[in-house]
Amino acid sequence: MTIQFKKGVLELCVLSMLREDDQYGYDVASKLAQSIEVADGSIYLVLRRLKQDEYVSSYLEESSSGPPRKYYVITRKGEQFLDELRNEWNSLVANVNTLIDNSVSA
Amino acid sequence: MNKNEFISIMESKLIRLPKSDRDDILSDYEAHFAVELEKGLSEEEVSAQLGDPQELAATYLENLPENAKGAPYIAPEEPVDEQTQPEQAVPEQIESDQAQPDHAQPADASDEAQYDKIAGVNDEPAAPAKRNVTSIVFFFIVCTLITYPGLYIYTGALCGSCFGGIGLIIAMVGCCIGGAFVIPSSVAAGIGLIFLGIALGALGGLFLIAFNALIRLIPKIVKAMIAWGKSAFTGGNQ
């Protein structure tokens, strides 16, 4: 449950970040790791799975220093999936909050 | 843990993925190291930040079918080398890697027979050693039969294209000068000569281009021969 849950949340976060702008894999990993307690390394797996499911695509761009950078772009399919995830997330949060509030006030 | 340790642990754990997938995954982590190291972090700090390479690698393998978990990846699309007989082909296709998981290659005789059975090798418990000898012999046969005559032909083509090219270019110069001298007495003959010269020169240029291409081929051929010789001696999968 927790692994699946975390995986879903990470996908939601990554897709949300990518909807705003194309991002370099490293940026996604480091930004996410800052806000969620997760090993940087596991984000690359999330990106890879999203790519396999065609929710994102990637392209390489030369960088002034070091090897070419892999940028990720959200696809149309990914945007639809993000909407689904977001709805699920919102209803989950709402339900959990109601539950917590009720049990606190009870 | 430094960068090399991190990468090689992941690489050995991911051995049963196709090489292209493995390289793709590892490139993400190498890129991560590159950025962080440039920012001034130490390799140890970056490794810690990325997480445990063993666990990370395991997550990449989660969706693989159970039966693929023990053995290194067997590439179905790799073309079978011409010198291997069909029934011996499968063991050759196992990707070579020094960092194989310890349970991947059965060592004792009964396991080997089992291994051969799985791989489709019939009645030939000593197949790997035999194949090794066969490929070495094959290598030398090809070396003597094809490479030596090939060397003469190659050298011939090299000299021919070089001197032919130079000769034709000299002919072009001669024709043009000759043409220029002839023009006062016969315009048509002079212009004809000059055109002939230009045509010869163009041909000479082509010869020199061919010469250049042949020269550039040398290191590639040498490299390929060395790699092949190496794989013939090691049997390709040790």
Side-chain angles (χ1 to χ4, degrees):
Chain A
M1 165 66 190
T2 35
I3 294 172
Q4 283 300 315
F5 184 69
K6 204 165 190 176
K7 185 175 158 248
V9 173
L10 285 177
E11 285 180 347
L12 173 61
C13 295
V14 170
L15 288 174
S16 304
M17 289 170 75
L18 292 180
R19 177 178 263 181
E20 281 179 28
D21 206 1
D22 297 359
Q23 304 224 24
Y24 170 37
Y26 168 81
D27 282 336
V28 180
S30 58
K31 278 183 206 163
L32 255 184
Q34 271 168 24
S35 42
I36 302 180
E37 199 179 304
V38 62
D40 288 31
S42 56
I43 310 294
Y44 293 107
L45 173 69
V46 176
L47 283 167
R48 191 179 167 77
R49 293 247 162 97
L50 287 172
K51 192 178 164 186
Q52 277 168 352
D53 293 335
E54 295 173 345
Y55 296 134
V56 303
S57 58
S58 67
Y59 60 93
L60 287 177
E61 201 167 282
E62 291 300 324
S63 107
S64 51
S65 60
R69 297 179 159 192
K70 202 195 268 174
Y71 280 83
Y72 291 89
V73 199
I74 192 166
T75 60
R76 278 215 57 76
K77 197 178 163 194
E79 286 177 352
Q80 286 164 4
F81 183 58
L82 173 58
D83 288 337
E84 280 171 39
L85 282 179
R86 194 180 275 182
N87 287 338
E88 276 176 39
W89 172 257
N90 285 338
S91 68
L92 176 73
V93 170
N95 291 339
V96 171
N97 279 341
T98 326
L99 211 93
I100 296 172
D101 291 346
N102 285 349
S103 55
V104 167
S105 57
Chain B
M1 185 184 314
N2 66 28
K3 178 185 163 187
N4 281 341
E5 285 168 340
F6 185 95
I7 296 291
S8 65
I9 290 176
M10 281 207 78
E11 191 172 12
S12 65
K13 286 274 160 190
L14 295 173
I15 193 74
R16 58 196 142 104
L17 293 181
K19 185 160 169 32
S20 57
D21 285 1
R22 209 184 322 146
D23 289 347
D24 190 42
I25 293 169
L26 292 176
S27 73
D28 282 337
Y29 293 95
E30 273 163 6
H32 192 98
F33 268 103
V35 181
E36 293 287 27
L37 292 180
E38 197 168 293
K39 284 186 173 178
L41 263 68
S42 71
E43 294 190 355
E44 282 70 20
E45 284 170 316
V46 184
S47 298
Q49 182 193 71
L50 281 170
D52 178 6
Q54 305 235 15
E55 277 178 32
L56 273 175
T59 57
Y60 280 95
L61 303 173
E62 264 165 21
N63 290 342
L64 282 188
E66 264 314 302
N67 59 9
K69 288 202 172 168
Y73 176 74
I74 297 171
E77 72 280 7
E78 264 178 35
V80 178
D81 275 353
E82 280 163 37
Q83 74 262 38
T84 56
Q85 288 141 30
E87 66 264 46
Q88 295 179 350
V90 175
E92 286 256 319
Q93 289 182 352
I94 294 172
E95 294 204 46
S96 63
D97 205 297
Q98 288 94 329
Q100 279 179 359
D102 41 11
H103 50 284
Q105 287 281 4
D108 68 45
S110 65
D111 273 357
E112 199 175 76
Q114 179 78 10
Y115 180 62
D116 286 342
K117 215 165 96 190
I118 295 165
V121 178
N122 302 321
D123 321 311
E124 271 187 273
K130 204 170 177 180
R131 186 183 58 241
N132 203 359
V133 174
T134 323
S135 56
I136 290 172
V137 171
F138 187 79
F139 177 69
F140 279 116
I141 290 173
V142 173
C143 274
T144 43
L145 285 189
I146 296 175
T147 313
Y148 287 123
L151 210 62
Y152 290 124
I153 295 169
Y154 192 83
T155 319
L158 218 57
C159 295
S161 59
C162 179
F163 295 129
I166 293 171
L168 283 167
I169 294 220
I170 292 172
M172 174 186 78
V173 175
C175 280
C176 288
I177 294 172
F181 276 111
V182 171
I183 281 182
S185 52
S186 161
V187 176
I191 289 176
L193 257 179
I194 289 175
F195 272 118
L196 178 69
I198 291 170
L200 288 175
L203 198 61
L206 284 179
F207 268 68
L208 289 182
I209 289 170
F211 174 67
N212 183 32
L214 283 172
I215 290 267
R216 276 161 197 270
L217 261 181
I218 293 177
K220 279 186 191 164
I221 293 175
V222 171
K223 240 187 214 166
M225 285 303 285
I226 290 173
W228 185 36
K230 237 186 205 167
S231 79
F233 277 100
T234 57
N237 60 346
Q238 249 98 67

